Amino acid sequence: MAEPSLAVRRKSRPGSVRKRSRAPLQPGPACSPVARKRASSGGEGQPVETPCSNDSEDDLFGDYDSFYGSDSLLAQVDDIEHKYLQDKNMDIKAAGEIIPGNLQSGIHQKKQDNFSTSENMAVLKADKEDALQMNENEPVDNSQELTESILDDLPSSQLLYFEKMDELSSGSRISPDSERRNKCVNSSSDKIRSLSSFCPDTEDRNRPTDFSSGSKCDLFKTESLKDHLKSAMTGNAKAQTLQVSKTKQLKEAVLSEEICVAKKTIESSSFDIGPFYGLPSKVKDLFRQFRGIETLYEWQHDCLMLESLQRRKNLIYSLPTSGGKTLVAEIIILQELLCRQKDVLMILPYVAIVQEKVRGLSSFGIELGFLVEEYAGSKGRFPPIKRRIKKSLYIATIEKGHALVNSLIETERIDDLGLVVVDELHMLGEGSRGATLEITLAKILYTSKNTQIIGMSATLNNVRDLQKFLQADYYTNNFRPVELKEYIKIRDTIYTVDSKTEKGFTFSRLLNFKYSSNLEKADPDHIIALVTEVIPKYSCLIFCPTKKNCENVASMVCKYLKKEFRAHKEKEKQDLMKNLKNIGNGSVCPVLKQTIPFGVAYHHSGLTNDERKSIEEAYSTGVLCLLACTATLAAGVNLPARRVILRAPYVANDFLKKNQYKQMIGRAGRAGIDSAGESILIVQEKDKHLVQDLVNSPLDNCYSNLLLELNKGMQSLLLSLVGLKIAVTHEEVDNFMCSTLLGVQQQLLSKGKSLSEIVKDGLENLAEKGLLKGRVSEKDCNSKCTLTITPLGKATYKGSIDLAYCNLLYRELKKGLEGLILESNLHLLYLATPYDMTSNCSPDWMIYLRQFNQLSAAEQKVADIVGVPESFITKKASGQAIRKNVDSAVVNRLYLSFVLYTLLKETNIWSVSEKFNMSRGYVQNLLNAAASFASCVLHFCEELEEFWVYKALLTELTKQLTYCVKTELIPLMEVAGVLEARAKQLYNAGYKTLAHLANADPETLVRMIEHLSRRQAKQIVSSAKMLLSEKAEALQEEVEELLKVPADIPGTY
């Protein structure tokens, strides 16, 4: 693949020399080719040999203590001055142009003999030309070129003198080339401006200067040039040299200039892609440095060069899992942030993937000058801070992405969002989350004509519907970096999946593994035979239908593995066990204790966040070679394997869907490691015909869920449309609905009712709930009657509260105002306990009673207030009959609030899960859900003045639930990817604040922190720097807003 050429090459920097000979010299072998080329291209003589060294600042005057020690320089200056003053036939205007150049040439020629300089002029000239994109085809006057080189070589304080000289001139002509360059430089960023303070402005150096006769006479009358030089050089000797690396300044200048050029290239819709697809060459270097990516795949190049992308049209692209889709999206994101200077929203399906992406892109943000902001769980600011200088990349879950878009529409800032990227676009067809994603995209399409939408997925079928919905072009390719071989296993026979045959698969081989009668009983599916063909040398994933099955399979495999497996990476496995023990405060899951010595573990939602992260890292580094996991891993973090085994064609009790099957087998084959990937689906004879249909069927279609998910779908959409004033009449709402995926598919989904009738029913329902006002049910009502949102309705959509619970939440918060128990946070925790988790809760009544009895009298009062009397709990625990009806949802919710209350006191998931006889994964999920719901309730209360008292209380509670650690660890936990166990390690090692982490040396972190890889250390430091930068930017924005002079001050015009 032809790779885009780079506009800027790297250079070796020449350093100081004590004395320079003016004799012609040859370029040394250590100098860069660019330096040699530039040095030889300007003049007739041969280039000067320049030894290369690092950036260093020698004494400004080299071997001379004082310029008074040698008068030859000033004498020569005096001679030149008199020569030009006495030439009466010379045109004054021409004299004005020549004198500064020749005077400076004379100065430099003498300085070459007497002064130590810090840079070689030819190479620095080359640097400057690259940084400012000089046009080499234009003829350049030799004296002007020499003047530029001279100025580059002078110390910073000397440069100030020549700036003063230019200021004294009465007028100037700016060449078109200089004007273009200056416009570009000034529009770049602060980086190029910082260069200006160190080196004289390009315009001032390159432009010819007009001296009027009056101004020239005044200049020489006031003081001779000789006196000027004496004064300036004395000042130079006293002046403090700027402690700034010229190399760093110039590199930043190059980057800023390239961004400027790339921006112009992008805006011109030209196919000249510049250094790296319209981006600075530094971006390519960063991909190489951070990701190890040297070149793009051919399909990636083709996709980035699509005319639809050049013209900023919406795009859907689809490739198999592991094909490299994300890299294309990241390049498009960087184009938007750097070249078009617009904010970007990236929507990802799960919190863990959001955090992984924040960690991965923070290092790019630090290097390229944009912010990376996390919107997941309880994190995220609504509306986001409006940045004046830096642009933001918002990385969000589906729910948080929707809330973010709502806030941008409400504050009329949706056009600031230049690009929205959606990963796993097929999730449009998946339940309430799909409905939320559809609503988000429909609002963007309807309210902003300038926001581009990019959607990607590995499993799309009815693409035409999606294209029509998103008004997008489509690109697809079957590329996989590693070949995938699909097999199915029936009894002891392996078949190759072949869609060309009638049955769908053909015979491949028989299993070659001797089974004893005992082993046959324990492992009827021959899992041990399949895994021992690849582990421990290669990695393997086993997808199981249930969490319990994952643990059973992991245990069974280890029971029959040979002891030699224990010796593989034994020390690393011992370290992993220690780490898990620290996470559990001395406790380790019995199953993991048995399996990890063999390099085997399980992975499902029953693990805590810290455990899951440790196991994922151990698998990625090869310490673990086999994971038994549930289907969630297929759509989660990227953990590929040489072989993927599907334990059964089921997810829980449901038969496998084609999309799920493709997601799972897509994990087979690791690019750059494996030559091929294998998937093996274990099939029982009874499911054979179903599997034949599965492997031969097309991918699942993607259908709108707005009607299926009524509260989180259609009604939620209608409420926010009116609240955001996107559509405030029945007619406008109908028009909007036509632009949704439901509108595209209404003939398939509406089931006898027209879309307009469905909308009308939804609006009536919202009015009945007290969320909307307006005549929507009267038959004689004009379709142009304006609808308005009630305060409760506004609080509901801004808090992202499920419409099924909004009235109940309002009543409970109102009741809380009458007697909120603040002796502890139990009452608040009850209000922040998610409603949707109560249905899965089955209280242990003895534990319920024990926990109730441990509460103080004031805390026990909370149970009475919410409607769970002590007598009810006592009778339930003793098995007595209950006559009085008590709402089971309230009983379960109070029980869950007891769990959260204990968790916040003990901050240990393991001890709490044992105390309540719950799985630690369930407790972890409850904590995560409570933190997110507390954030929603906080936003709900912010919209209702009567609930002002809850604002401060819920702000602090949300923070406690988000981190659930001791207060001193919270600043460290704010960094993406730092969980409790890692935060404790960092704190104990002396890294106690965000500033400590942001300024840490990754190598030192690796030495001081156990089980921390170099890559993880770099990501932690980058994430900390990004968070610190984000907070500093926010404060700076606040300061500037405070100091901003109002435009409407009374008495001013």
Coordinates of all heavy atoms in Angstrom, one line a residue, residues 461-534:
N461 N -27.2 -6.3 8.9 CA -27.8 -7.0 7.7 C -28.7 -6.0 6.9 O -28.4 -5.7 5.8 CB -28.6 -8.2 8.2 CG -29.1 -9.0 7.0 OD1 -28.4 -9.1 6.0 ND2 -30.3 -9.6 7.2
N462 N -29.8 -5.5 7.5 CA -30.7 -4.6 6.8 C -30.1 -3.2 6.7 O -30.6 -2.2 7.3 CB -32.1 -4.6 7.4 CG -32.1 -4.2 8.8 OD1 -31.1 -4.5 9.6 ND2 -33.2 -3.6 9.3
V463 N -29.0 -3.1 6.0 CA -28.3 -1.8 6.0 C -29.0 -0.7 5.3 O -28.9 0.4 5.6 CB -26.9 -2.0 5.2 CG1 -26.1 -0.7 5.2 CG2 -26.1 -3.1 6.0
R464 N -29.9 -1.1 4.3 CA -30.6 0.0 3.6 C -31.5 0.8 4.5 O -31.6 2.0 4.4 CB -31.5 -0.7 2.5 CG -30.7 -1.1 1.3 CD -31.6 -1.6 0.1 NE -30.9 -2.0 -1.0 CZ -30.3 -1.2 -1.9 NH1 -30.4 0.1 -1.8 NH2 -29.6 -1.7 -2.9
D465 N -32.2 0.1 5.5 CA -33.0 0.8 6.5 C -32.1 1.8 7.3 O -32.5 3.0 7.5 CB -33.7 -0.1 7.4 CG -34.8 -0.9 6.8 OD1 -35.2 -0.5 5.6 OD2 -35.4 -1.8 7.4
L466 N -30.9 1.3 7.7 CA -30.0 2.2 8.5 C -29.5 3.3 7.7 O -29.3 4.4 8.2 CB -28.9 1.3 9.1 CG -29.3 0.2 10.0 CD1 -28.1 -0.6 10.5 CD2 -30.1 0.7 11.2
Q467 N -29.2 3.1 6.4 CA -28.7 4.1 5.5 C -29.8 5.2 5.4 O -29.5 6.4 5.4 CB -28.4 3.6 4.1 CG -27.0 2.9 4.0 CD -26.7 2.5 2.6 OE1 -26.9 1.4 2.2 NE2 -26.2 3.5 1.8
K468 N -31.0 4.8 5.2 CA -32.1 5.8 5.0 C -32.3 6.6 6.3 O -32.5 7.8 6.3 CB -33.4 5.0 4.7 CG -34.5 5.9 4.1 CD -35.7 5.1 3.6 CE -36.8 6.0 3.1 NZ -37.9 5.2 2.7
F469 N -32.2 5.9 7.5 CA -32.4 6.6 8.7 C -31.3 7.6 9.0 O -31.5 8.7 9.3 CB -32.4 5.5 9.9 CG -32.2 6.0 11.3 CD1 -32.9 7.2 11.7 CD2 -31.3 5.4 12.1 CE1 -32.7 7.7 13.0 CE2 -31.1 5.9 13.4 CZ -31.8 7.0 13.9
L470 N -30.0 7.2 8.7 CA -28.9 8.1 9.0 C -28.5 8.9 7.8 O -27.5 9.7 7.9 CB -27.7 7.2 9.5 CG -27.8 6.5 10.8 CD1 -26.6 5.6 11.1 CD2 -28.1 7.5 12.0
Q471 N -29.2 8.8 6.7 CA -28.8 9.5 5.5 C -27.3 9.3 5.2 O -26.6 10.3 5.0 CB -29.1 11.0 5.6 CG -30.6 11.3 6.0 CD -30.8 12.6 6.7 OE1 -30.1 13.5 6.5 NE2 -31.8 12.6 7.6
A472 N -26.9 8.0 5.1 CA -25.5 7.7 5.1 C -25.1 6.9 3.9 O -25.9 6.1 3.4 CB -25.1 7.0 6.4
D473 N -23.9 7.0 3.5 CA -23.3 6.0 2.6 C -22.8 4.8 3.3 O -22.8 4.8 4.5 CB -22.1 6.7 1.9 CG -22.5 7.7 0.9 OD1 -23.7 7.9 0.7 OD2 -21.6 8.4 0.3
Y474 N -22.5 3.7 2.5 CA -22.2 2.4 3.2 C -20.9 1.9 2.6 O -20.7 1.9 1.3 CB -23.3 1.5 3.0 CG -23.1 0.1 3.6 CD1 -22.8 -0.1 4.9 CD2 -23.1 -1.1 2.8 CE1 -22.6 -1.3 5.5 CE2 -22.9 -2.3 3.3 CZ -22.6 -2.5 4.7 OH -22.4 -3.7 5.2
Y475 N -20.0 1.4 3.4 CA -18.8 0.7 3.0 C -18.6 -0.6 3.7 O -18.8 -0.6 5.0 CB -17.5 1.6 3.3 CG -16.2 1.0 2.9 CD1 -15.7 1.0 1.7 CD2 -15.5 0.2 3.9 CE1 -14.5 0.4 1.3 CE2 -14.3 -0.4 3.6 CZ -13.8 -0.3 2.3 OH -12.6 -0.9 2.0
T476 N -18.3 -1.6 3.0 CA -18.1 -2.9 3.7 C -17.0 -3.7 3.0 O -16.6 -3.4 1.9 CB -19.4 -3.8 3.6 OG1 -19.2 -5.0 4.4 CG2 -19.7 -4.2 2.2
N477 N -16.4 -4.6 3.8 CA -15.3 -5.4 3.3 C -15.2 -6.6 4.2 O -15.6 -6.6 5.4 CB -14.0 -4.5 3.5 CG -12.8 -5.1 2.7 OD1 -12.4 -6.2 2.9 ND2 -12.2 -4.3 1.8
N478 N -14.7 -7.7 3.6 CA -14.7 -9.0 4.4 C -13.3 -9.2 5.0 O -13.0 -10.3 5.4 CB -15.0 -10.2 3.5 CG -16.5 -10.1 3.1 OD1 -17.3 -9.8 3.9 ND2 -16.8 -10.5 1.9
F479 N -12.5 -8.2 5.0 CA -11.1 -8.3 5.5 C -11.0 -8.7 6.9 O -11.7 -8.2 7.8 CB -10.4 -7.0 5.3 CG -9.0 -7.0 5.9 CD1 -7.9 -7.6 5.2 CD2 -8.7 -6.5 7.2 CE1 -6.6 -7.6 5.8 CE2 -7.5 -6.5 7.7 CZ -6.4 -7.0 7.0
R480 N -10.1 -9.7 7.2 CA -9.7 -10.0 8.6 C -8.2 -10.2 8.5 O -7.6 -10.8 7.6 CB -10.3 -11.4 9.0 CG -11.6 -11.3 9.8 CD -12.0 -12.7 10.3 NE -11.0 -13.2 11.2 CZ -11.1 -13.1 12.6 NH1 -12.2 -12.5 13.1 NH2 -10.2 -13.6 13.4
P481 N -7.5 -9.6 9.5 CA -6.0 -9.7 9.5 C -5.5 -11.1 9.7 O -4.4 -11.4 9.3 CB -5.6 -8.8 10.6 CG -6.8 -8.7 11.5 CD -8.0 -8.8 10.6
V482 N -6.4 -11.9 10.3 CA -6.0 -13.3 10.6 C -7.2 -14.2 10.1 O -8.4 -13.9 10.4 CB -5.8 -13.6 12.1 CG1 -5.6 -15.0 12.4 CG2 -4.6 -12.7 12.6
E483 N -6.9 -15.2 9.3 CA -7.9 -16.1 8.8 C -8.7 -16.8 9.9 O -8.1 -17.2 10.9 CB -7.3 -17.1 7.9 CG -8.3 -18.0 7.2 CD -7.6 -19.2 6.5 OE1 -6.4 -19.3 6.5 OE2 -8.4 -20.0 5.9
L484 N -10.0 -16.8 9.8 CA -10.9 -17.5 10.8 C -11.4 -18.8 10.2 O -12.0 -18.8 9.1 CB -12.0 -16.6 11.2 CG -13.1 -17.2 12.1 CD1 -12.5 -17.7 13.4 CD2 -14.2 -16.3 12.3
K485 N -11.1 -19.9 10.9 CA -11.6 -21.2 10.5 C -12.7 -21.7 11.4 O -12.5 -21.8 12.6 CB -10.5 -22.3 10.5 CG -9.4 -21.9 9.5 CD -8.2 -22.9 9.6 CE -7.1 -22.5 8.6 NZ -5.9 -23.4 8.8
E486 N -13.9 -21.9 10.9 CA -15.1 -22.2 11.7 C -15.3 -23.7 11.7 O -15.3 -24.4 10.6 CB -16.3 -21.5 11.2 CG -16.3 -20.0 11.4 CD -17.6 -19.4 10.8 OE1 -18.7 -19.9 11.2 OE2 -17.5 -18.5 10.0
Y487 N -15.5 -24.3 12.9 CA -15.8 -25.7 13.0 C -16.9 -25.9 14.0 O -17.3 -25.1 14.8 CB -14.6 -26.5 13.6 CG -13.3 -26.4 12.8 CD1 -12.3 -25.4 13.2 CD2 -13.0 -27.2 11.7 CE1 -11.1 -25.3 12.5 CE2 -11.9 -27.1 11.0 CZ -10.9 -26.1 11.4 OH -9.7 -26.0 10.7
I488 N -17.6 -27.1 13.8 CA -18.5 -27.6 14.9 C -18.1 -29.0 15.3 O -17.5 -29.7 14.5 CB -20.0 -27.5 14.4 CG1 -20.3 -28.6 13.3 CG2 -20.4 -26.1 14.0 CD1 -21.7 -28.8 13.1
K489 N -18.4 -29.3 16.5 CA -18.1 -30.7 17.0 C -19.3 -31.4 17.5 O -20.1 -30.9 18.2 CB -17.1 -30.6 18.2 CG -16.6 -31.9 18.7 CD -15.9 -31.8 20.0 CE -16.9 -31.8 21.2 NZ -17.6 -33.1 21.4
I490 N -19.5 -32.6 16.9 CA -20.6 -33.5 17.3 C -20.0 -34.8 17.8 O -19.3 -35.4 17.0 CB -21.6 -33.7 16.2 CG1 -22.2 -32.4 15.7 CG2 -22.8 -34.6 16.6 CD1 -23.1 -32.4 14.4
R491 N -20.2 -35.2 19.0 CA -19.5 -36.3 19.7 C -18.0 -36.1 19.6 O -17.5 -35.1 20.1 CB -20.0 -37.6 19.0 CG -21.5 -37.9 19.3 CD -21.8 -39.4 18.9 NE -23.2 -39.7 19.0 CZ -24.1 -39.6 18.0 NH1 -23.6 -39.2 16.8 NH2 -25.3 -39.9 18.2
D492 N -17.3 -37.0 18.9 CA -15.8 -36.9 18.9 C -15.4 -36.5 17.4 O -14.2 -36.7 17.1 CB -15.1 -38.1 19.3 CG -15.5 -39.3 18.4 OD1 -16.4 -39.2 17.6 OD2 -14.8 -40.4 18.6
T493 N -16.3 -36.0 16.7 CA -16.0 -35.6 15.3 C -16.0 -34.1 15.1 O -17.0 -33.4 15.5 CB -17.0 -36.3 14.3 OG1 -17.1 -37.7 14.6 CG2 -16.6 -36.0 12.9
I494 N -15.0 -33.6 14.4 CA -14.9 -32.1 14.1 C -15.3 -31.9 12.6 O -14.8 -32.6 11.7 CB -13.5 -31.6 14.3 CG1 -13.0 -31.9 15.7 CG2 -13.5 -30.1 14.0 CD1 -13.6 -31.1 16.8
Y495 N -16.3 -31.0 12.4 CA -16.7 -30.7 11.0 C -16.3 -29.2 10.7 O -16.4 -28.4 11.5 CB -18.2 -30.8 10.9 CG -18.7 -32.2 11.1 CD1 -19.1 -32.7 12.4 CD2 -18.9 -33.1 10.0 CE1 -19.6 -33.9 12.6 CE2 -19.3 -34.4 10.2 CZ -19.7 -34.8 11.5 OH -20.2 -36.1 11.7
T496 N -15.9 -29.0 9.4 CA -15.7 -27.7 9.0 C -16.9 -27.0 8.5 O -17.7 -27.6 7.7 CB -14.7 -27.7 7.8 OG1 -13.5 -28.4 8.2 CG2 -14.3 -26.3 7.3
V497 N -17.2 -25.8 8.9 CA -18.4 -25.0 8.5 C -18.2 -24.6 7.0 O -17.2 -24.0 6.7 CB -18.6 -23.8 9.4 CG1 -19.8 -23.0 8.8 CG2 -19.0 -24.2 10.8
D498 N -19.1 -25.0 6.1 CA -19.0 -24.7 4.7 C -20.3 -24.4 4.2 O -21.1 -25.3 3.9 CB -18.3 -25.9 4.0 CG -18.0 -25.5 2.5 OD1 -18.4 -24.4 2.1 OD2 -17.5 -26.4 1.8
S499 N -20.6 -23.1 4.0 CA -22.0 -22.7 3.6 C -22.3 -23.2 2.2 O -23.5 -23.2 1.8 CB -22.1 -21.2 3.7 OG -21.1 -20.6 2.9
K500 N -21.3 -23.6 1.4 CA -21.6 -24.0 0.0 C -22.2 -25.4 -0.1 O -22.8 -25.7 -1.1 CB -20.3 -24.0 -0.8 CG -19.7 -22.6 -0.9 CD -18.3 -22.6 -1.6 CE -17.7 -21.2 -1.7 NZ -16.3 -21.3 -2.2
T501 N -22.0 -26.2 1.0 CA -22.5 -27.5 1.0 C -24.0 -27.5 1.4 O -24.5 -26.6 2.0 CB -21.7 -28.5 1.9 OG1 -21.8 -28.0 3.2 CG2 -20.3 -28.5 1.4
E502 N -24.7 -28.6 1.1 CA -26.1 -28.7 1.5 C -26.3 -28.7 3.0 O -27.2 -28.0 3.4 CB -26.7 -30.0 0.9 CG -28.2 -30.1 1.0 CD -28.7 -31.4 0.4 OE1 -28.0 -32.0 -0.5 OE2 -29.8 -31.8 0.7
K503 N -25.6 -29.4 3.7 CA -25.7 -29.5 5.2 C -25.2 -28.3 5.9 O -25.5 -28.0 7.0 CB -25.1 -30.8 5.7 CG -25.8 -32.1 5.3 CD -25.1 -33.3 6.0 CE -25.9 -34.6 5.6 NZ -25.3 -35.7 6.3
G504 N -24.2 -27.6 5.3 CA -23.6 -26.5 5.9 C -22.2 -26.8 6.5 O -21.5 -25.8 6.9
F505 N -21.8 -28.0 6.6 CA -20.5 -28.4 7.1 C -20.1 -29.7 6.6 O -20.9 -30.6 6.2 CB -20.5 -28.4 8.7 CG -21.7 -28.8 9.3 CD1 -22.0 -30.2 9.5 CD2 -22.7 -27.9 9.8 CE1 -23.1 -30.6 10.2 CE2 -23.8 -28.4 10.4 CZ -24.1 -29.7 10.6
T506 N -18.7 -29.9 6.5 CA -18.1 -31.1 6.0 C -17.2 -31.7 7.0 O -16.6 -31.0 7.9 CB -17.4 -30.8 4.7 OG1 -16.4 -29.8 5.0 CG2 -18.3 -30.3 3.6
F507 N -16.9 -33.0 6.9 CA -16.0 -33.7 7.9 C -14.6 -33.2 7.8 O -14.1 -32.9 6.7 CB -16.0 -35.2 7.5 CG -15.0 -36.0 8.4 CD1 -15.3 -36.4 9.7 CD2 -13.7 -36.3 7.8 CE1 -14.4 -37.1 10.4 CE2 -12.8 -37.0 8.6 CZ -13.1 -37.4 9.9
S508 N -14.0 -33.0 9.0 CA -12.6 -32.5 9.1 C -11.7 -33.5 9.7 O -10.7 -34.0 9.1 CB -12.6 -31.2 9.9 OG -11.2 -30.7 10.0
R509 N -12.0 -33.9 10.9 CA -11.1 -34.9 11.6 C -11.8 -35.5 12.8 O -12.9 -35.0 13.2 CB -9.8 -34.2 12.0 CG -10.0 -33.1 13.1 CD -8.7 -32.4 13.4 NE -8.9 -31.2 14.3 CZ -8.8 -31.3 15.6 NH1 -8.4 -32.4 16.2 NH2 -9.0 -30.2 16.3
L510 N -11.2 -36.5 13.4 CA -11.6 -37.1 14.6 C -10.7 -36.6 15.7 O -9.5 -36.4 15.5 CB -11.6 -38.6 14.6 CG -12.6 -39.3 13.7 CD1 -12.3 -40.8 13.6 CD2 -14.0 -39.1 14.2
L511 N -11.2 -36.5 16.9 CA -10.4 -36.0 18.1 C -9.4 -37.1 18.4 O -9.8 -38.3 18.5 CB -11.3 -35.7 19.3 CG -11.9 -34.4 19.4 CD1 -12.8 -34.3 20.6 CD2 -10.9 -33.3 19.4
N512 N -8.2 -36.7 18.6 CA -7.1 -37.7 19.0 C -6.7 -37.5 20.4 O -5.7 -36.9 20.8 CB -5.9 -37.5 18.1 CG -4.8 -38.5 18.3 OD1 -5.1 -39.6 18.8 ND2 -3.6 -38.2 18.0
F513 N -7.6 -38.0 21.4 CA -7.3 -37.8 22.8 C -7.9 -39.1 23.5 O -9.1 -39.4 23.3 CB -7.9 -36.5 23.3 CG -7.5 -36.2 24.7 CD1 -6.4 -35.4 24.9 CD2 -8.2 -36.6 25.8 CE1 -6.0 -35.0 26.2 CE2 -7.9 -36.3 27.1 CZ -6.7 -35.5 27.3
K514 N -7.1 -39.7 24.3 CA -7.5 -41.0 25.0 C -8.3 -40.6 26.3 O -7.7 -39.9 27.1 CB -6.4 -41.9 25.3 CG -5.7 -42.5 24.1 CD -4.6 -43.4 24.4 CE -4.0 -44.0 23.2 NZ -2.8 -44.9 23.5
Y515 N -9.5 -41.0 26.3 CA -10.4 -40.7 27.5 C -10.6 -41.9 28.3 O -11.0 -43.0 27.8 CB -11.8 -40.2 27.0 CG -11.9 -38.7 26.9 CD1 -11.3 -38.0 25.8 CD2 -12.5 -37.9 27.9 CE1 -11.4 -36.6 25.7 CE2 -12.6 -36.5 27.8 CZ -12.0 -35.9 26.7 OH -12.1 -34.5 26.6
S516 N -10.3 -41.8 29.6 CA -10.7 -42.9 30.5 C -12.2 -42.9 30.8 O -12.8 -41.9 30.5 CB -9.9 -42.7 31.9 OG -10.3 -41.6 32.5
S517 N -12.7 -43.9 31.4 CA -14.2 -43.9 31.7 C -14.5 -42.8 32.6 O -15.6 -42.2 32.5 CB -14.6 -45.3 32.2 OG -13.8 -45.6 33.4
N518 N -13.7 -42.5 33.6 CA -14.0 -41.5 34.6 C -14.0 -40.1 33.9 O -14.8 -39.2 34.2 CB -13.0 -41.5 35.7 CG -13.2 -42.6 36.7 OD1 -14.3 -43.2 36.7 ND2 -12.2 -43.0 37.4
L519 N -13.0 -39.9 33.1 CA -12.8 -38.6 32.4 C -14.0 -38.4 31.4 O -14.5 -37.3 31.2 CB -11.5 -38.6 31.6 CG -11.1 -37.2 31.0 CD1 -11.2 -36.1 31.9 CD2 -9.7 -37.3 30.4
E520 N -14.4 -39.5 30.8 CA -15.5 -39.4 29.8 C -16.8 -39.0 30.5 O -17.6 -38.2 30.0 CB -15.8 -40.8 29.2 CG -16.8 -40.8 28.1 CD -16.3 -40.2 26.8 OE1 -15.1 -40.5 26.4 OE2 -17.0 -39.4 26.2
K521 N -17.0 -39.4 31.8 CA -18.2 -39.0 32.6 C -18.1 -37.6 33.0 O -19.0 -36.8 32.9 CB -18.3 -39.9 33.8 CG -18.8 -41.3 33.5 CD -18.8 -42.1 34.8 CE -19.1 -43.6 34.5 NZ -19.0 -44.4 35.8
A522 N -16.9 -37.2 33.4 CA -16.7 -35.8 33.8 C -16.7 -34.8 32.7 O -17.1 -33.6 32.9 CB -15.3 -35.7 34.6
D523 N -16.2 -35.2 31.5 CA -16.1 -34.3 30.4 C -16.7 -34.9 29.1 O -16.0 -35.2 28.2 CB -14.6 -33.9 30.2 CG -14.4 -33.0 29.0 OD1 -15.3 -32.2 28.7 OD2 -13.3 -33.0 28.5
P524 N -18.0 -35.1 29.1 CA -18.6 -35.7 27.9 C -18.5 -34.9 26.6 O -18.6 -35.5 25.5 CB -20.1 -35.9 28.3 CG -20.3 -34.8 29.4 CD -19.0 -34.7 30.1
D525 N -18.2 -33.6 26.8 CA -18.1 -32.8 25.6 C -16.7 -32.6 25.1 O -16.4 -31.9 24.1 CB -18.7 -31.4 25.9 CG -20.2 -31.4 26.1 OD1 -20.9 -32.2 25.5 OD2 -20.6 -30.6 27.0
H526 N -15.8 -33.4 25.7 CA -14.3 -33.4 25.3 C -13.7 -32.0 25.3 O -12.9 -31.7 24.4 CB -14.2 -34.0 23.8 CG -14.9 -35.3 23.7 ND1 -16.1 -35.5 23.1 CD2 -14.6 -36.6 24.2 CE1 -16.5 -36.7 23.1 NE2 -15.6 -37.4 23.8
I527 N -14.1 -31.2 26.2 CA -13.5 -29.9 26.4 C -12.0 -29.9 26.6 O -11.2 -29.2 26.1 CB -14.2 -29.0 27.4 CG1 -15.6 -28.7 27.0 CG2 -13.4 -27.8 27.8 CD1 -16.5 -28.1 28.0
I528 N -11.6 -30.9 27.5 CA -10.1 -31.0 27.8 C -9.3 -31.3 26.6 O -8.2 -30.8 26.4 CB -9.9 -32.1 28.9 CG1 -10.6 -31.6 30.2 CG2 -8.5 -32.4 29.1 CD1 -10.6 -32.6 31.3
A529 N -9.8 -32.2 25.7 CA -9.1 -32.6 24.5 C -9.0 -31.3 23.6 O -7.9 -31.1 23.0 CB -9.9 -33.6 23.8
L530 N -10.0 -30.5 23.5 CA -10.0 -29.3 22.7 C -9.0 -28.2 23.2 O -8.3 -27.6 22.4 CB -11.4 -28.7 22.5 CG -12.4 -29.6 21.8 CD1 -13.8 -29.0 21.8 CD2 -12.0 -29.8 20.3
V531 N -9.0 -28.1 24.5 CA -8.2 -27.0 25.1 C -6.7 -27.4 25.1 O -5.8 -26.5 24.9 CB -8.6 -26.5 26.5 CG1 -10.1 -26.0 26.4 CG2 -8.5 -27.6 27.5
T532 N -6.4 -28.6 25.4 CA -5.0 -29.0 25.5 C -4.3 -29.1 24.2 O -3.0 -29.1 24.1 CB -4.9 -30.4 26.2 OG1 -5.7 -31.4 25.5 CG2 -5.2 -30.4 27.7
E533 N -5.0 -28.9 23.1 CA -4.4 -28.8 21.8 C -3.7 -27.4 21.6 O -2.9 -27.3 20.7 CB -5.4 -29.0 20.7 CG -5.9 -30.5 20.5 CD -6.9 -30.7 19.4 OE1 -7.5 -29.6 19.0 OE2 -7.2 -31.8 19.1
V534 N -4.1 -26.5 22.4 CA -3.6 -25.1 22.2 C -2.9 -24.5 23.5 O -1.9 -23.8 23.3 CB -4.7 -24.1 21.8 CG1 -5.1 -24.4 20.3 CG2 -5.9 -24.2 22.7

